[in-house]
Amino acid sequence: MLFHDLIINNDSPIYEQIENHVKCSIHTNMITPDSKLPSTRELSQVLGVSRNTVLVAYENLEAENVIYTKKGKGTFITKSAFERYGKKDYNSNNKMKWNVDWETKANAYSIEAEKMDIIKNEIPWSKDLISFKSISPDGELFDLEEFKRSFLYRLSVEGNKILNYGYARGYKPLIEYLKQYMLEKGVSGEHKDIIVTNGFTEGFEMMIEAFTNLGDYVLCENPTHNTALRIMKLHGIKTIGIPMLEDGLDIEKLEQYLKKYQPRFLYVIPSYHNPTGIVIGEKKRSQIYELCREYEVPIIEDGFTEELLYGSSHITPIASLDKERNGVVYIGSFSKILFPGLRIGWVMGDNRVISLLESVKRCKNIHTSSIDQGILYEYLQSGILKRQMKRMRKSYKERFEFAKQCVEQYLDPAFVWGDGGLHLYVGLREVSARLLLQVCYERKVIFMPGDIFSLDDRGENTLRLGLSRVSLEEIETGIKIMGECLAQLRNKAE
Amino acid sequence: MLFHDLIINNDSPIYEQIENHVKCSIHTNMITPDSKLPSTRELSQVLGVSRNTVLVAYENLEAENVIYTKKGKGTFITKSAFERYGKKDYNSNNKMKWNVDWETKANAYSIEAEKMDIIKNEIPWSKDLISFKSISPDGELFDLEEFKRSFLYRLSVEGNKILNYGYARGYKPLIEYLKQYMLEKGVSGEHKDIIVTNGFTEGFEMMIEAFTNLGDYVLCENPTHNTALRIMKLHGIKTIGIPMLEDGLDIEKLEQYLKKYQPRFLYVIPSYHNPTGIVIGEKKRSQIYELCREYEVPIIEDGFTEELLYGSSHITPIASLDKERNGVVYIGSFSKILFPGLRIGWVMGDNRVISLLESVKRCKNIHTSSIDQGILYEYLQSGILKRQMKRMRKSYKERFEFAKQCVEQYLDPAFVWGDGGLHLYVGLREVSARLLLQVCYERKVIFMPGDIFSLDDRGENTLRLGLSRVSLEEIETGIKIMGECLAQLRNKAE
């Protein structure tokens, strides 16, 4: 590019013209210190001059300390050349500075996104912490060998095709697999289709983007998944929380709010609800479905960690009640079971819903990584997930039960909720979880304060303990320390 | 899940209780035909009863044709059981039907996204077509062996960590690599940072989402990249087109519009511009930058296929003029060079810009696939891209030059634009490109009509020929057919 505009004339030696061009380019700010020049071979081709001529020009420039050579790397512009030939007013002239105040350019959406960004605003993770914050899966339970095999096999089957552009809806074999997978869970595919997304988050955001308007009401559990909450708030949704009881959301309130608000959707997490860990039973699932049908309010069902439920038997998501109807949009993900780093989820819903999401997806990122979809497909269809699930359930269950016991022993909780997933939810007796977190942090223990999941101040005395990335030993030590910190706070209060 | 609520009592034989539970679940719509039951071993564990008891229950149910067994697959509910025990009013009761009219639930955004979805609205690709539509890279030029090596090596270095959640900004080694890569292009990283995105599309959408408001003006080339155009329209941006001249956008108009509209951004594609194929020269790049600086309008620079420019020498994007200032946001991608199926791009801009995009990214899909970033990093840093680029440039250049020659020979064009990228841009003499496409389609040749890139009716007589996926033979045959179709249309008109 540097020499793109150079047209060699007959007025002076060619090497001089090359040298001057480099110096002028420095002067007009077309290059910066340490930017690379073409090789002498390339430049001679580009300019159509002999390589020797170029060599002479480069030697002269090097002698003047305008350029320098790094062995095996190439030829670069020196900093001092810039000081010599660069525009003198560079730093002194204010107009040259052009400092964009991006703060004022940011709009309400991005400012709000940052304000609600818990990763930026919460205590950072460090190595010597016992962290109960995460509910991402334990990487030790992944089968890396099978992952490799899946990659190599899919690549050998598909060849370079899988590395080129794919379909917005997703990799076809994976879609077919997921349809069968949903059918085995009892979810009929009649009039329904699937689109593969970059995890649950993208699926949920697309639903909100495509089907809600500013100021719409959406019902959800209170507390609920904080990312979903954040997305709804960012899109100007009025979220109405339905209080959680020990067996899931309060059905009476659900009916009352369906009537009162005529909401756009109900968003619900029936299995190992985030953050409470509650699994809604069959009867209540049926009640929820029937009420939404009565009031004609579609359901967005979050399939969050429902794979942990049990055995190779298939659970019945609320979507299974939808049968040949079209009121439930199901969002699934393997991120809490398999490989979150792959970012793969899916949305299953009415054909028309998926068709619209397909067009939206094309405006967002064209499609989800094909090779990742290929790997996941191969991994799933090998049947290894089922074997792996046994190990996972066993491992997580052990931690869950032990942690529950520790919480009861050390924390004297107002309540402990959770049905055996990756986390449990603790209500403290009149102690702010934020305050406790502050004290615990000094003792190197952290957890997720409940307020980030809450639509009101109900979450203040609650916390979520994520168990998937901590050992039994860490669980006991951590919760014990939490107990000591609690006692300390109580003593102070007295 | 099916047996989650079953509590065994002493009032009747256990196997009978199991049988009744299955039938009741059918009646209450908790399961569907073909849904799977837990294995006898699992169920006996879950219920805490002997496996024999479960076996008896299953045998009885099978005898009654309520369930059936597939060898090696498991036990499933029959369809006829459903007819027998399912609710009778299932199909007859209208209220039960609950047909959500998703069409009316869709909002303006998704309706518009679909309307502008060219993939849905254009002629579909089929095997026997000569298609000049695509500008995605030729997969034959990918190095699959190196791709495999990169995967295996990165996985061995990172282990299961790379399969778990990563950072919203991206995979750190890749970010560092890209910073160095940009520096070699002359783009200083001072006060700037990088975020990895799912391709150019996501990077651009995030910029528009984070930094524009409904009704803002954005300047862009006319014609321009249709996906960018679509995204801006969807976000309520008023796009103002700057006409393209043979050497890039009209500088006088740029100044006039900067003054008149005080736009939020200038969006510009300086290298192998899509669709015209024009490469803007150094002088004009500098003029564009200086004008935007004067009027304090930030630039979004689309690095589209600039890698094709030449040699291992480094080109100077407009961003290189930004030096320690912060007015240019550069969006890069390897999708037109390497593996589009991986969906990896990046945004480089002022620290504050990237920090805000980081929070936005967390609300969209948390982060881009870590394994894909790892593969790309390994592939890039192996140095193979440089070797590969030679092959690519040679291969694409050959096609480009041959195609240009064919266009001039067979199409008698008003103009042919393009500087040697993956495509060229043809102006027809008073013939609608849509009309020509219709006729050509019957002869099995397709291309991209210019109107989809255009902000007004200027694009009507233009078309883009994508050359990256066609052989020399196809190029000649295809363009010859186009010429015959043109003649046919002209004869008709006379």
Side-chain angles (χ1 to χ4, degrees):
Chain A
M1 196 60 198
L2 180 53
F3 294 95
H4 199 253
D5 288 356
L6 173 56
I7 294 154
I8 301 294
N9 58 41
N10 295 322
D11 303 341
S12 62
I14 295 173
Y15 63 83
E16 252 187 30
Q17 294 181 46
I18 296 174
E19 290 170 46
N20 280 331
H21 187 79
V22 171
K23 290 173 188 171
C24 282
S25 298
I26 295 169
H27 183 67
T28 56
N29 289 333
M30 285 311 298
I31 35 176
T32 46
D34 302 317
S35 53
K36 196 178 172 189
L37 296 178
S39 71
T40 51
R41 186 196 306 271
E42 276 164 20
L43 187 54
S44 70
Q45 281 168 4
V46 169
L47 298 177
V49 303
S50 86
R51 196 170 163 205
N52 266 339
T53 308
V54 178
L55 275 169
V56 171
Y58 275 25
E59 270 163 24
N60 290 343
L61 286 168
E62 189 147 20
E64 291 183 59
N65 197 23
V66 173
I67 62 175
Y68 64 98
T69 305
K70 260 198 225 166
K71 260 207 178 142
K73 295 273 182 169
T75 307
F76 304 85
I77 305 288
T78 63
K79 280 195 182 57
S80 66
F82 208 75
E83 282 158 24
R84 243 181 307 155
Y85 299 104
K87 285 190 182 166
K88 290 286 178 278
D89 57 358
Y90 189 76
N91 279 308
S92 56
N93 187 334
N94 255 336
K95 190 164 162 281
M96 290 292 285
K97 278 250 168 190
W98 190 31
N99 190 24
V100 178
D101 182 3
W102 285 102
E103 208 59 54
T104 62
K105 300 268 177 198
N107 60 17
Y109 173 84
S110 51
I111 295 289
E112 196 61 25
E114 182 165 69
K115 219 186 282 170
M116 290 193 285
D117 188 341
I118 56 165
I119 306 276
K120 276 190 189 168
N121 301 319
E122 297 286 327
I123 289 161
W125 186 84
S126 72
K127 260 191 181 166
D128 56 346
L129 286 173
I130 295 180
S131 172
F132 295 112
K133 281 180 78 173
S134 171
I135 55 167
S136 55
D138 182 350
E140 298 297 324
L141 299 171
F142 299 159
D143 188 331
L144 281 195
E145 282 311 310
E146 183 58 28
F147 185 80
K148 260 188 237 174
R149 192 203 63 80
S150 299
F151 168 86
L152 293 172
Y153 187 72
R154 247 326 90 185
L155 196 62
S156 76
V157 170
E158 296 281 359
N160 68 50
K161 261 196 312 180
I162 203 166
L163 304 184
N164 225 313
Y165 280 110
Y167 297 101
R169 292 216 178 184
Y171 180 58
K172 284 179 179 172
L174 179 63
I175 293 176
E176 287 314 309
Y177 181 91
L178 290 173
K179 280 185 184 165
Q180 184 55 37
Y181 182 75
M182 293 304 291
L183 192 63
E184 286 180 15
K185 286 187 186 209
V187 182
S188 148
E190 235 180 306
H191 314 300
K192 292 200 175 172
D193 216 325
I194 282 180
I195 184 168
V196 177
T197 59
N198 292 312
F200 164 83
T201 309
E202 182 176 272
F204 187 76
E205 202 214 14
M206 289 206 300
M207 278 304 297
I208 295 298
E209 262 191 328
F211 294 102
T212 67
N213 294 299
L214 212 72
D216 275 353
Y217 289 105
V218 171
L219 303 188
C220 61
E221 292 142 318
N222 183 19
T224 192
H225 182 29
N226 58 310
T227 301
L229 212 50
R230 196 158 74 228
I231 290 170
M232 290 192 281
K233 282 188 183 160
L234 283 177
H235 285 86
I237 300 295
K238 291 179 185 150
T239 47
I240 304 293
I242 305 164
M244 285 298 272
L245 307 176
E246 234 172 305
D247 64 345
L249 56 79
D250 184 332
I251 284 285
E252 277 173 38
K253 289 275 183 210
L254 171 62
E255 176 151 25
Q256 195 180 317
Y257 293 166
L258 283 168
K259 211 179 293 184
K260 182 171 171 190
Y261 294 105
Q262 301 176 294
R264 198 75 170 174
F265 290 110
L266 165 69
Y267 165 63
V268 64
I269 315 167
S271 302
Y272 304 114
H273 172 261
N274 186 10
T276 69
I278 291 169
V279 176
I280 298 181
E282 284 185 40
K283 200 174 140 206
K284 202 170 228 183
R285 289 185 185 214
S286 184
Q287 287 172 327
I288 292 170
Y289 181 78
E290 293 301 330
L291 276 174
C292 285
R293 189 162 70 167
E294 194 179 328
Y295 292 94
E296 300 193 323
V297 172
I299 297 168
I300 298 179
E301 178 175 20
D302 182 347
F304 180 73
T305 59
E306 97 185 352
E307 273 64 29
L308 286 177
L309 275 170
Y310 64 76
S312 62
S313 81
H314 293 291
I315 50 161
T316 48
I318 294 177
S320 71
L321 305 173
D322 212 23
K323 299 184 196 291
E324 90 276 24
R325 292 177 298 269
N326 66 351
V328 181
V329 175
Y330 178 95
I331 309 181
S333 164
F334 290 114
S335 285
K336 295 297 184 293
I337 307 295
L338 284 174
F339 317 116
L342 259 58
R343 315 295 319 116
I344 293 187
W346 70 96
V347 182
M348 182 171 188
D350 185 76
N351 288 335
R352 193 67 194 109
V353 170
I354 302 305
S355 174
L356 283 162
L357 294 187
E358 179 189 343
S359 290
V360 169
K361 175 87 178 167
R362 280 206 187 92
C363 298
K364 300 187 89 61
N365 46 52
I366 311 187
H367 64 76
T368 293
S369 164
S370 307
I371 188 73
D372 290 14
Q373 293 184 68
I375 297 173
L376 190 65
Y377 164 69
E378 192 62 40
Y379 195 94
L380 288 171
Q381 75 126 325
S382 76
I384 196 162
L385 179 62
K386 284 184 188 165
R387 266 171 291 155
Q388 214 181 341
M389 284 307 301
K390 275 194 190 165
R391 270 211 300 163
M392 283 194 182
R393 267 188 296 265
K394 187 162 171 264
S395 170
Y396 292 140
K397 199 178 167 201
E398 192 179 29
R399 294 180 221 192
F400 178 85
E401 280 167 4
F402 184 64
K404 195 165 179 185
Q405 192 187 312
C406 290
V407 166
E408 269 153 7
Q409 185 177 348
Y410 297 115
L411 300 188
D412 180 30
F415 61 84
V416 198
W417 282 351
D419 285 324
L422 305 174
H423 60 279
L424 48 76
Y425 189 66
V426 181
L428 303 170
R429 293 188 192 281
E430 289 165 27
V431 172
S432 146
R434 285 272 163 199
L435 211 58
L436 178 62
L437 179 59
Q438 268 178 34
V439 185
C440 286
Y441 181 56
E442 282 166 33
R443 301 275 310 273
K444 303 278 183 196
V445 174
I446 60 171
F447 50 81
M448 211 55 119
D451 55 9
I452 66 161
F453 306 101
S454 190
L455 282 79
D456 48 31
D457 56 12
R458 254 180 265 222
E460 218 178 277
N461 298 345
T462 68
L463 56 93
R464 186 188 75 182
L465 292 182
L467 305 168
S468 50
R469 313 282 299 264
V470 280
S471 66
L472 294 180
E473 208 188 327
E474 285 172 314
I475 290 173
E476 175 149 37
T477 312
I479 297 178
K480 212 167 160 182
I481 290 174
M482 286 174 68
E484 290 164 15
C485 294
L486 258 181
Q488 193 185 321
L489 283 174
R490 285 198 179 113
N491 287 339
K492 251 192 211 163
E494 272 161 17
Chain B
M1 193 62 195
L2 179 53
F3 293 95
H4 198 252
D5 290 356
L6 172 56
I7 295 152
I8 300 293
N9 58 42
N10 295 322
D11 302 342
S12 60
I14 294 173
Y15 64 83
E16 251 186 30
Q17 294 181 47
I18 296 174
E19 290 167 46
N20 280 331
H21 187 78
V22 171
K23 290 174 189 172
C24 283
S25 297
I26 295 168
H27 184 67
T28 56
N29 290 332
M30 284 314 296
I31 34 178
T32 46
D34 303 317
S35 52
K36 196 177 175 190
L37 297 178
S39 72
T40 52
R41 187 195 304 272
E42 276 164 20
L43 186 54
S44 71
Q45 280 169 3
V46 169
L47 298 177
V49 304
S50 86
R51 196 173 162 202
N52 267 339
T53 308
V54 179
L55 274 170
V56 171
Y58 276 26
E59 272 163 23
N60 291 343
L61 285 168
E62 189 146 17
E64 291 184 59
N65 197 23
V66 172
I67 63 175
Y68 66 98
T69 305
K70 260 198 224 167
K71 259 206 177 146
K73 295 272 180 168
T75 307
F76 304 84
I77 305 288
T78 63
K79 283 195 181 57
S80 66
F82 208 76
E83 282 158 24
R84 241 180 310 154
Y85 298 105
K87 283 190 183 166
K88 290 287 178 277
D89 56 358
Y90 188 78
N91 279 311
S92 56
N93 187 335
N94 255 336
K95 191 163 162 282
M96 289 291 286
K97 277 248 166 193
W98 190 29
N99 190 25
V100 177
D101 182 3
W102 285 101
E103 208 59 56
T104 62
K105 300 268 176 197
N107 60 18
Y109 173 83
S110 51
I111 295 290
E112 196 61 25
E114 182 165 68
K115 219 185 283 170
M116 290 193 285
D117 189 341
I118 55 164
I119 306 277
K120 277 190 188 169
N121 301 318
E122 298 286 328
I123 287 162
W125 185 84
S126 72
K127 262 191 181 165
D128 55 347
L129 286 173
I130 295 181
S131 172
F132 294 112
K133 282 181 78 172
S134 172
I135 54 167
S136 55
D138 182 351
E140 297 297 323
L141 298 171
F142 300 157
D143 187 331
L144 282 194
E145 281 312 309
E146 184 58 28
F147 185 81
K148 258 187 235 173
R149 193 204 63 80
S150 299
F151 168 86
L152 293 171
Y153 187 72
R154 246 327 89 183
L155 196 62
S156 76
V157 170
E158 296 282 358
N160 68 50
K161 260 196 313 178
I162 203 166
L163 304 184
N164 226 312
Y165 282 110
Y167 297 101
R169 292 216 178 183
Y171 180 59
K172 284 179 179 172
L174 179 63
I175 293 176
E176 288 313 311
Y177 181 92
L178 289 172
K179 279 184 186 166
Q180 185 55 39
Y181 181 75
M182 292 304 290
L183 192 63
E184 287 181 12
K185 288 188 187 208
V187 182
S188 148
E190 235 181 305
H191 313 302
K192 292 201 174 170
D193 217 326
I194 281 179
I195 184 168
V196 178
T197 59
N198 292 312
F200 164 84
T201 310
E202 182 176 274
F204 187 76
E205 201 214 14
M206 290 207 300
M207 278 304 296
I208 296 297
E209 260 191 330
F211 293 102
T212 67
N213 294 298
L214 212 72
D216 276 353
Y217 289 104
V218 171
L219 303 189
C220 61
E221 290 141 320
N222 183 20
T224 192
H225 181 29
N226 59 310
T227 301
L229 212 51
R230 195 158 76 229
I231 289 170
M232 289 192 280
K233 283 189 182 159
L234 284 176
H235 285 85
I237 300 295
K238 291 180 185 149
T239 47
I240 304 294
I242 305 164
M244 285 298 271
L245 307 176
E246 233 173 306
D247 65 344
L249 57 78
D250 183 334
I251 284 287
E252 276 172 37
K253 288 276 184 211
L254 171 61
E255 177 152 23
Q256 195 180 318
Y257 293 166
L258 283 168
K259 211 180 291 184
K260 182 171 172 191
Y261 294 105
Q262 300 176 296
R264 198 72 169 178
F265 290 112
L266 165 69
Y267 166 62
V268 64
I269 316 168
S271 304
Y272 303 114
H273 171 261
N274 186 8
T276 68
I278 291 168
V279 176
I280 298 181
E282 283 186 41
K283 199 175 141 206
K284 201 169 229 185
R285 288 185 187 214
S286 183
Q287 287 172 327
I288 293 170
Y289 180 78
E290 293 301 330
L291 277 175
C292 285
R293 188 162 72 167
E294 194 179 328
Y295 291 94
E296 300 193 323
V297 172
I299 297 169
I300 299 179
E301 179 176 17
D302 183 346
F304 180 74
T305 58
E306 98 184 353
E307 274 64 29
L308 286 179
L309 275 171
Y310 63 79
S312 62
S313 81
H314 292 291
I315 50 159
T316 48
I318 295 177
S320 71
L321 305 173
D322 212 24
K323 299 189 196 289
E324 89 277 24
R325 293 179 296 270
N326 67 350
V328 181
V329 175
Y330 178 95
I331 309 181
S333 164
F334 290 114
S335 285
K336 295 297 182 293
I337 307 295
L338 284 174
F339 318 114
L342 259 59
R343 316 294 319 117
I344 294 188
W346 69 95
V347 182
M348 182 170 189
D350 185 77
N351 288 334
R352 192 68 193 107
V353 171
I354 302 305
S355 174
L356 283 161
L357 294 187
E358 178 189 343
S359 290
V360 169
K361 176 87 176 163
R362 282 206 186 90
C363 298
K364 300 188 89 59
N365 47 50
I366 311 187
H367 64 76
T368 293
S369 165
S370 307
I371 188 74
D372 291 12
Q373 293 183 69
I375 296 173
L376 190 65
Y377 163 69
E378 193 62 39
Y379 194 94
L380 289 171
Q381 75 126 324
S382 76
I384 196 162
L385 178 62
K386 283 185 189 165
R387 266 173 289 153
Q388 213 180 340
M389 282 308 300
K390 275 194 191 165
R391 269 210 302 161
M392 283 192 181
R393 266 187 297 265
K394 187 162 170 267
S395 169
Y396 292 141
K397 200 180 167 199
E398 193 179 28
R399 294 180 221 191
F400 177 84
E401 281 167 3
F402 184 63
K404 197 168 177 181
Q405 194 187 311
C406 291
V407 166
E408 271 154 5
Q409 185 177 346
Y410 297 114
L411 299 190
D412 179 31
F415 62 83
V416 198
W417 281 352
D419 284 326
L422 305 175
H423 60 280
L424 48 76
Y425 188 65
V426 180
L428 302 170
R429 293 190 192 279
E430 288 165 27
V431 172
S432 147
R434 284 270 163 203
L435 212 58
L436 179 62
L437 181 58
Q438 269 178 33
V439 185
C440 286
Y441 182 56
E442 282 165 32
R443 301 275 310 270
K444 302 280 184 196
V445 174
I446 59 173
F447 51 80
M448 211 56 118
D451 56 8
I452 66 163
F453 305 102
S454 190
L455 283 79
D456 48 32
D457 54 13
R458 255 179 264 223
E460 218 175 276
N461 298 345
T462 67
L463 56 92
R464 188 189 74 184
L465 292 183
L467 305 169
S468 50
R469 313 283 298 265
V470 279
S471 66
L472 293 181
E473 208 188 327
E474 286 172 312
I475 289 174
E476 176 150 35
T477 312
I479 296 179
K480 212 168 160 182
I481 290 175
M482 286 173 69
E484 290 164 15
C485 294
L486 257 181
Q488 192 185 321
L489 282 174
R490 286 200 180 110
N491 287 341
K492 252 192 213 163
E494 274 162 18

